Amino acid sequence: MTQQPQDERTRIREAMDRLLAGQATSSNGSFTAAALAAEAGVHRMALYKRHADLKNEFEERVRTETRQVPETEKRLRETVTKLKKTIANQNEELEKLRQLVTNLTLASAVLTHKEGSPAESAPMSVPDNVVPFRPPTT
């Protein structure tokens, strides 16, 4: 490893220790990757790309040493909760719509096949090529 990335790694480890000790000097002191990058004086993308192992180590240390959940994990958990609620609502709505379709189909069948309706008793002109359905005789 060249000197520059090794120097970055050293600064990131020192920044981890400062953040976890509550002695932030150049960041807001939150337990986020952005605060870690600011505290170490490295670009945030350098932390995500070149030093992803240190970012993961920091998140694990936050979890174990402070007994807190990292911000990214909190946001992901909130998103998962919202999505599960949305899915449950959509499934409930889908079930209601299925029941409505069933009810409307039954209502349509009842209305179109009603025996003794005025339409059946009135003579209708039927085209020559239409064969009417007749109820079975018993």
Side-chain angles (χ1 to χ4, degrees), residues 53-71:
D53 60 322
L54 292 178
K55 180 188 78 68
N56 294 337
E57 178 185 330
F58 175 66
E59 290 174 348
E60 186 59 36
R61 285 182 65 187
V62 166
R63 217 179 265 107
T64 58
E65 293 178 24
T66 63
R67 300 203 192 307
Q68 292 183 7
V69 178
E71 289 297 317

Side-chain angles (χ1 to χ4, degrees), residues 102-117:
T102 302
N103 291 343
L104 290 173
T105 303
L106 290 172
S108 173
V110 167
L111 291 173
T112 56
H113 295 94
K114 200 174 207 181
E115 291 186 7
S117 67

Side-chain angles (χ1 to χ4, degrees), residues 70-102:
E71 289 297 317
T72 52
E73 190 174 330
K74 284 181 187 176
R75 286 193 301 268
L76 284 173
R77 288 182 186 276
E78 288 172 2
T79 302
V80 167
T81 302
K82 287 178 187 175
L83 289 173
K84 284 182 178 180
K85 186 175 182 178
T86 300
I87 289 171
N89 289 341
Q90 287 178 341
N91 286 341
E92 183 180 322
E93 183 179 358
L94 188 59
E95 186 56 38
K96 286 179 182 177
L97 289 172
R98 283 183 177 144
Q99 187 63 40
L100 181 61
V101 166
T102 302

Side-chain angles (χ1 to χ4, degrees), residues 1-7:
M1 212 178 257
T2 62
Q3 183 59 31
Q4 196 255 347
Q6 189 60 38
D7 180 48

